[in-house]
Amino acid sequence: MINYNKICVFDFETDGSDPSVCSPVQLAAVMIDPLKLEIIKNSEFNVNFKPERMEKENFKYDDDILNFHAKVRGCEQKDILDLWKSYPSQKNSWEMFTEYLQKYHHRSTKQSQFTAPIAAGYNINRFDMIIVDRLSTKYNNINKEKRQNIFYMRDIIDIMNIVFYWFENNSELKSYSLDSLRDYLGISKDGAHDAIKDVKDCAEILIRFIRLHRKLSTKISFKDSFSHISNV
Amino acid sequence: MSKNLTFSCGCSFRITDQDHIEFNPSVIDINLDCSKTWDLISSGNTKGCFQLESRLGRSMAKKLKPENIEQLAALISIMRPGCLEAYRDGKSVSSHYIDKKNCLESVNYFHQSLEPTLKNTYGEMVYQEQAMEITRTIAGFDLQEADMLRKAIGKKKPEEMAKVKSKFIEGSKIKGIVNESEAEEIFGWIEKSQRYSFNKSHAVSYAMNAYLSAYTKAHFPRVFFASYLRFAKDKIDPQQEIKELIQNANEMDILVKTPDIRLLNQYFILKDKTIYFGLTDIKSVGESVYKKIISIIEENQIDLNSSWPNCLFRLLSNINSTSAKSLISCGAMDYTGISRNKMLFDLGLALKLTDREKNIIIAEILQNNITCMKELFKILLHNGKLIKKRLEDIQESINLLNNPPFSLQDSPEWISDQEDMLLGCPITCSKIDMYDISMTNCNCKDIKNRNYLNDNLTLAVEIDRINTVKTKKGKNAGSNMAFLSVNDGSGSLDSVVLFPEQYAKYKQVLYEGNIIVLKGKSNKKDDSFVVEKVFLPSS
């Protein structure tokens, strides 16, 4: 049973660290072909969002967040604010993303949430998916159960979980952050925290783990492995 | 029958309409000894031919190789479940007939007196008329009595059967051609055969129609496919029908193209030796949308050969968005030379404009012939008639046109998926086009051009279907083996075999939709392909 749904590795850059209130300022994604386990050619998506806060007259940002973005981009805090102001509205950018996802539904069947790409990313369960749920509710991309309907409903691949299972006993990995993982795996950190660089790195890491998993699964049999446990 | 009669009329119409060839495919005038037609039937290339279009029909036509209407009628009769399921000496009646016709089995008539009746069917009782004739020869039945026998067997009433049987035995005694035990045996044979035998007059009329459609396919293949594609909508699975017909058309070097909006044809048409999809053959473009397209074009005198923005703002943005997207995605607007994704992107931006804004743009297109999307949006921005909020939105659109968030190129995979979804099968390209399949070129180019004499064939294919079965015999008895149906855009292969060893080795890469490279041997006799190795092509 092969899952034919494409895997969408995505990442938000935001104007805050609390996913329940912050606004996205950038969203990047790439698609993985689930059969060939390769990044689909020309599948890169990259869009900016004007933060919701900037829609109001007297908005204010903490220095911490502006410093962080200024450092990543190598510019001043003021430049960051000017840049964010010039970004397209959240509604338009979100619409672009949902259109992009629709392009990568499972082929030749009727499009539904079952044919939609599987959401994947680093630490997405605790961060990015919360934003997805918020924006889906805001822009009416919800199903009957009032949950987001843009991604496959049965599965979310959080690469951080996979890393945890493989490295829980490995002290060489300093932490479970994406930067530590990049250091450990020998992936360059040039351009890190730019959403498109992050998603490409994550996609390559995920592909490596799925390949490993597929190879191992043919060699390990679970059949009757619980049969020695008596039924109580 | 009505569909096939309509088909014949359709052929007649389209040939005179498009190619100015006068041809009326009538069974009365048609040459029944056309070698081209019999060759086509014998090669099993009978997709679309009346009664012979199923997989079974195609394979049995290939096995039997009928040479005349008599044999074609027999073929249509022995293809029925009764004949296929009626076994004698460990073989179905159908196989007996085929082997006897091909001189692989000797012909006997049980009794010499039956030879005149059974000669045409090589000693097999295929038709109900033969049974009736035998009762006349052996027992002297008149036509009414013979028909009673047919009815009695058909209704399976024991009392009536007993009556007819005793009449048959008595009659045979009077006639004296066979003795009583032979008469009993012949009656038993008739009884059994009537469970499967077919009405000859029916079979011959079917055969005439089958021949007529095969004749059209052999001599006017383009018309044949255009007509049959038109009727594909009426099939239980139209998508599968379109797919099979187009694959078959490709195998016969007939060009089938995606719809072209400039032609404004509602259904499939044949134009300049090319078959084009009709606009209503696109999923989500119905008759009402078609009529709307025609009326918009006529009312506004739109020249579809003009610029892309002209078509976009004056036509596509005025029909429902799903239909407009489908028209673009399936290739109906490809003549513009712009990628389908770019056109979809532009459509998305155009749909966000108000009617007033669209009218400003249309005026610019008509007055100054501006064909650049960015330019048109910039004019809108500097028009001075829009409110601040709208200006921000227009500026956003310009930014998106300058820097689209995703690639606007069309990948072969996307194109083939869209065409598969909207037209029923990929037309412009195959998913295989995405891969480096240069390794296949030294031994074999594609399915259509494979060389049967070459023992070492390499084919790059997409897997359509997988059927796994357990082997019953041989050293690997009980192991799984697989039969694949594959295609490569040029044609399809239905019997690709992976024996247990190969299946176990390569099963990881065998799944529907996967693109693989097969190395193996092709067998022309049964058209199978036995796989030795499987590779994954690099992209």
Side-chain angles (χ1 to χ4, degrees), chain B residues 112-131:
Chain B
Q112 205 150 10
S113 61
L114 303 183
E115 186 176 341
T117 313
L118 301 179
K119 197 174 181 183
N120 285 343
T121 52
Y122 304 97
E124 292 297 328
M125 207 185 297
V126 175
Y127 304 116
Q128 290 170 342
E129 285 89 339
Q130 285 175 315

Side-chain angles (χ1 to χ4, degrees), chain A residues 4 36 38 42 46 89 92, chain B residues 352 396 405 409 435 512 539:
Chain A
Y4 290 91
K36 295 203 70 68
E38 286 172 355
N42 292 324
N46 189 7
S89 69
N92 281 348
Chain B
K352 280 181 189 157
E396 262 179 34
Q409 283 177 24
Y435 297 90
E512 286 171 18
S539 50

